[in-house]
Amino acid sequence: MTDTVNITIDGMNVEVDKGTLLIRAAEQVGVRIPRFCDHPLLAPSANCRQCLVEVAMPGRDGVVRPMPKPQPACAMTASEGMEVSTQATSQVAAKAQAGTMEFLLINHPLDCPVCDKGGECPLQNQALELMTSGAQAATRFTDVKRTFPKPLRLTSNILLDRDRCILCQRCVRFADQIAGDRFITLQGRGGGHAGGEVTGGLYSEQIGRFDSGVLDFHDPAAVASGHTQTVRGGEHLVPEDDLAGPGGQPGVVDGTVYGPGTLGGAEELDVSGRPFASYFSGNIIQICPVGALTSARYRFRARPMDLVSTDTVTEHDASGSALRVDMRRGVVLRRLAGNDPEVNEEWITDKDRFAFPWSSLDDRLDVPLVRDEASGELVPTSWSDALDVAARGLAGARRDGGVGLLPGARLTLEDGWAWSRFARTVLGTNDIDQRVRAHSSEEDSFLAARVAGTGLGTVTYRSLESAGQVLLIALEPEDECGSLFLRLRKGVRAGGVKVATVASLRSAGSRKLDAEVVLAVPGTEARAVALLSQTHPELTRALGGEGATILVGERAAAVPGLLSVVDTLANATGARLAWVPRRAGERGGIEAGLLPHLLPGGRPVSDAAARAEVQQLWAPPGGISAPDPLPAQPGRDTTAILHALADGELGGLVVGGVDLRDFPDPGLARTALASSGFTVQLEVRRSEVSEHADVVLPVAPPGEKNGTFVNWEGRVRPFGQAHVSRARTDRQVLAALAAEMGVDLEVDTLQEVHAQVDALGLWGGDRPRVSFTPAPEAPDASAQAPGRSTVSGLDAVLATHKPMLDAGRLQDGEPFLAATGLRPTARVGADLAARLHLVGGEAVDVTTAAGTITLPAAVGAVPDGTVWLPECSPGSTVRQSLGVGHGARVSLSLTTADSPEVAQ
């Protein structure tokens, strides 16, 4: 039971929990105290002093006496008998707040008409509010305002106008407390320090990037040898021609002397060549209470009063994070974090915030295309003609062996429902699979047993904060589900959870979570998990505690036996178990039946009762023309569909938004597309798949439709249409195509779809056991211990996964964001590095029979005998270039011909 205290605020009695900040207690009774540095998700700091209030407290003798000076309401906690007077009832508090505001405005520039924050600026609003209440309305400051060279590029995305900064340190505290990336700091103190004295009217205390030429670990020798210079009175800066400063002069970038330690290591650089900042850096723009931090893309583009806002949900991962889309004249100009305490709180990833231009690029499809029989080229046509060609082609393909469907995993629940129903009732097949990634029959059983049709379970964002012990398996939350990473970090900082991870890479995210890392050679993760009770008995015991949770990622499907072992571990310890996919539509697609062995709601295809329930809803028997029964046998998965197309066993293909680089075997995917007798593509933008398609039907991106995503928790996340568009959704296109083929899908409106989903509900019948059948191991000379010398180099085992920012098509058109991603490197095991005499930074080749990837090396953080590569980054498309995936054998060698010979 929580202890409470009774206090008085402006004469009103209020009971609050002991330890409640006065500023929060005031909010409970409807009193708002002005503030700048305070944020409900950040620790108190009392930097700005704008929230000063008059406080009286009972002494030891019980007599209530006022404190000698006003106190910051954002840092003082409530205690029994306290009497608080805010600016509404106390002249002392009102005068203190007015004086603080006057000091803040002394050096603040009068550029509200051109400031991006103008119209939604807390400083602007509270200054005007104070003036209307009788505070000083005209400045008494007669000296020259402090100025800085501006804008200062903190990252490729974020520009800083230091003369607007009021030193509230919200940005610094976010980087330290929330993201764990200390990429920004309050530099200098008071009048100056070595190398940063007050010169040219500049005051050394300022916000900026870590730089040894500015910070306390000043290195004069490094500064002298660098390329920084004094720009308009500011020291240790670099001119940036693509930034406009005041008067048209070039803007500036902070110096690039990054001092000792790993911060300056090559593996920490981003694509632009600067130290990597954070995957969450854009949040500091939104929480800045003034216009000091601005977005490179949004800067000077619009005013808040020009924008039309719509609430939506991220399409970039399975987090379900709430967003707000701001548009001007039909063009998306920015996206902000929505406030949803149950999901993302007030934070989103930079990918969610900045990666929105992808849907409006020049290759956007706006009219249907059909392949001209004479020229062999795709030509524009009408919807009626395209649907007629598609209907006739699919009917012929169905007669020639059947049609496979690869919808991709970025669909809304409603669009997925239409795909699922189209496959079963129009094409009469279960050959449908949304997985454009590693998959297996073991995963089929795991999804049927543990995921499909389970709804919102006991594992949620909120439950993870106090889970006690969380075990991550085949999951890197910072890269694959940013909001999940932030919630875990919040729990770790609060002491409510400890994190352990079984992985092939000791990542920066693991370090920020203070995680216990169980390093496993790629492909041996199942054995590592099976032996946890022997190798890490304390961890196993902790998994038996109340709330303990196992989070397993979609990449577990690439390791034979891993999902079965995870299921066994969860059953043995009693730990909760949740599955975390990467793509936004993956969980909703499972619920809609976009798998060859599952119908909607988690119903097994092979279960007659389950089929009967779906049949009754979709195609009830009876009438003059009785519909065909739903197919009774599980269909082909993605790989089997591709093989069937390549071998001519299937006559055609309907394909959605997929990237061929993501397939387990991109070469097989290209062969299958080339061999397909008839291919229909539903896509937002023209892609490599389009070159093989006979009919291309344009569909709407998430911003141009209403719909619902289902996040990794199983939480339903509806979102609105950001702007009016003539583009049709997948649901509408498939409904029109089905009508052309003589079938009514009954999905014309969202209300119809939702009524069907609600009527069918979740499967309550028997579920299969998670099963794994080991494949027979063929003798292979390459399956020896890694590290042996070969003709092409050293034998190594490949580890790989996708960083958050990579070369994915949903990040196209955003160069500022792309430049902030981690520079691709090859992480090399310490034993291999010693054999090749690597210290870091040297170019190395990772080779298979299919090709070679060349990247700079970084040493360590992976098991011996292992090399880690980013799966789909610039210069490192693993599956496409090497033709293999996680756990495969590769050859590692130095790139340069004059490198030292491999040590024997």
Side-chain angles (χ1 to χ4, degrees), residues 73-107:
C74 73
M76 193 169 194
T77 57
S79 60
E80 184 66 35
M82 182 180 286
E83 297 179 2
V84 181
S85 300
T86 72
Q87 73 281 359
T89 59
S90 168
Q91 287 298 318
V92 172
K95 183 178 180 181
Q97 292 179 12
T100 299
M101 177 64 72
E102 190 172 4
F103 275 118
L104 291 176
L105 294 178
I106 279 178
N107 281 305

Side-chain angles (χ1 to χ4, degrees), residues 540-608:
T540 307
R541 285 194 293 271
L543 288 174
E546 182 179 358
T549 302
I550 301 172
L551 298 177
V552 59
E554 65 176 31
R555 291 186 284 115
V559 181
L562 180 54
L563 288 170
S564 300
V565 173
V566 169
D567 179 70
T568 301
L569 178 64
N571 290 330
T573 61
R576 300 170 178 173
L577 177 60
W579 179 73
V580 183
R582 182 182 175 94
R583 294 170 178 83
E586 186 104 25
R587 180 65 188 270
I590 293 173
E591 304 302 335
L594 298 186
L595 292 175
H597 61 289
L598 289 178
L599 295 170
R603 289 167 172 78
V605 164
S606 57
D607 190 295

Side-chain angles (χ1 to χ4, degrees), residues 12 67 75 79 177 276 433 449 466 492 499 578 623 713 826:
M12 296 177 286
M67 300 185 73
S79 60
Q177 299 170 18
F276 175 72
D433 198 340
S466 55
V492 169
V499 176
E713 303 169 283

Side-chain angles (χ1 to χ4, degrees), residues 356-369 378 658-659 661 681-691 696-701 704 807-814:
F356 55 81
W358 67 272
S359 63
S360 57
L361 299 180
D362 293 340
D363 57 358
R364 171 72 186 270
L365 295 165
D366 52 10
V367 296
L369 305 174
L378 288 172
V658 302
D659 188 334
R661 298 172 299 177
Q681 181 190 28
L682 282 68
E683 182 59 286
V684 177
R685 293 165 48 209
R686 193 160 178 159
S687 69
E688 185 180 353
V689 176
S690 306
E691 305 312 309
V696 179
L697 302 175
V699 294
E704 298 178 22
R809 282 171 55 82
L810 267 63
Q811 296 164 61
D812 289 350
E814 185 42 76

Side-chain angles (χ1 to χ4, degrees), residues 136-403:
Q136 183 73 29
T139 182
R140 293 180 285 180
F141 185 68
T142 58
D143 295 312
V144 177
K145 286 181 179 286
R146 179 187 63 193
T147 60
F148 291 99
K150 67 178 187 179
L152 178 67
R153 188 186 288 280
L154 295 180
T155 73
S156 297
N157 268 327
I158 303 173
L159 307 178
L160 170 64
D161 289 1
R162 288 172 290 175
D163 47 6
R164 296 176 184 167
C165 179
I166 61 172
L167 302 179
C168 71
Q169 294 195 64
R170 274 191 178 186
C171 55
V172 176
R173 288 148 57 212
F174 169 84
D176 181 35
Q177 299 170 18
I178 306 300
D181 300 304
R182 301 186 63 187
F183 66 96
I184 188 171
T185 189
L186 181 63
Q187 300 176 348
R189 292 294 185 271
H193 55 82
E197 296 82 6
V198 178
T199 58
L202 297 183
Y203 183 60
S204 68
E205 190 171 41
Q206 56 188 273
I207 297 293
R209 284 289 294 265
F210 281 92
D211 188 332
S212 66
V214 179
L215 296 179
D216 292 335
F217 51 81
H218 178 63
D219 184 357
V223 173
S225 63
H227 301 287
T228 63
Q229 56 187 269
T230 299
V231 179
R232 297 191 297 280
E235 296 184 344
H236 314 301
L237 300 174
V238 178
E240 181 92 347
D241 291 335
D242 67 342
L243 298 180
Q249 310 98 320
V252 294
V253 182
D254 58 341
T256 53
V257 182
Y258 297 108
T262 59
L263 187 64
E267 67 273 15
E268 299 290 342
L269 298 181
D270 64 21
V271 174
S272 71
R274 299 167 58 75
F276 175 72
S278 175
Y279 287 140
F280 309 95
S281 61
N283 289 288
I284 67 176
I285 299 173
Q286 186 168 343
I287 64 174
C288 179
V290 294
L293 293 163
T294 58
S295 164
R297 171 169 283 274
Y298 180 70
R299 187 177 174 89
F300 302 139
R301 293 288 304 279
R303 309 306 303 278
M305 61 284 294
D306 300 330
L307 302 175
V308 177
S309 301
T310 305
D311 293 333
T312 188
V313 176
T314 179
E315 77 274 29
H316 288 295
D317 59 27
S319 67
S321 296
L323 308 179
R324 192 186 93 189
V325 177
D326 286 347
M327 303 187 63
R328 181 172 182 259
R329 299 178 183 174
V331 178
V332 178
L333 293 185
R334 69 176 181 181
R335 297 208 298 197
L336 303 177
N339 185 359
D340 191 331
E342 296 301 319
V343 182
N344 59 300
E345 299 186 307
E346 298 183 34
W347 317 123
I348 56 175
T349 67
D350 286 355
K351 193 174 182 180
D352 293 338
R353 186 178 300 274
F354 299 115
F356 55 81
W358 67 272
S359 63
S360 57
L361 299 180
D362 293 340
D363 57 358
R364 171 72 186 270
L365 295 165
D366 52 10
V367 296
L369 305 174
V370 297
R371 194 163 299 280
D372 183 73
E373 293 182 359
S375 65
E377 299 294 326
L378 288 172
V379 296
T381 189
S382 65
W383 273 101
S384 58
D385 179 52
L387 291 172
D388 175 65
V389 174
R392 288 188 285 109
L394 290 177
R398 183 179 180 184
R399 292 191 298 271
D400 292 340
V403 179

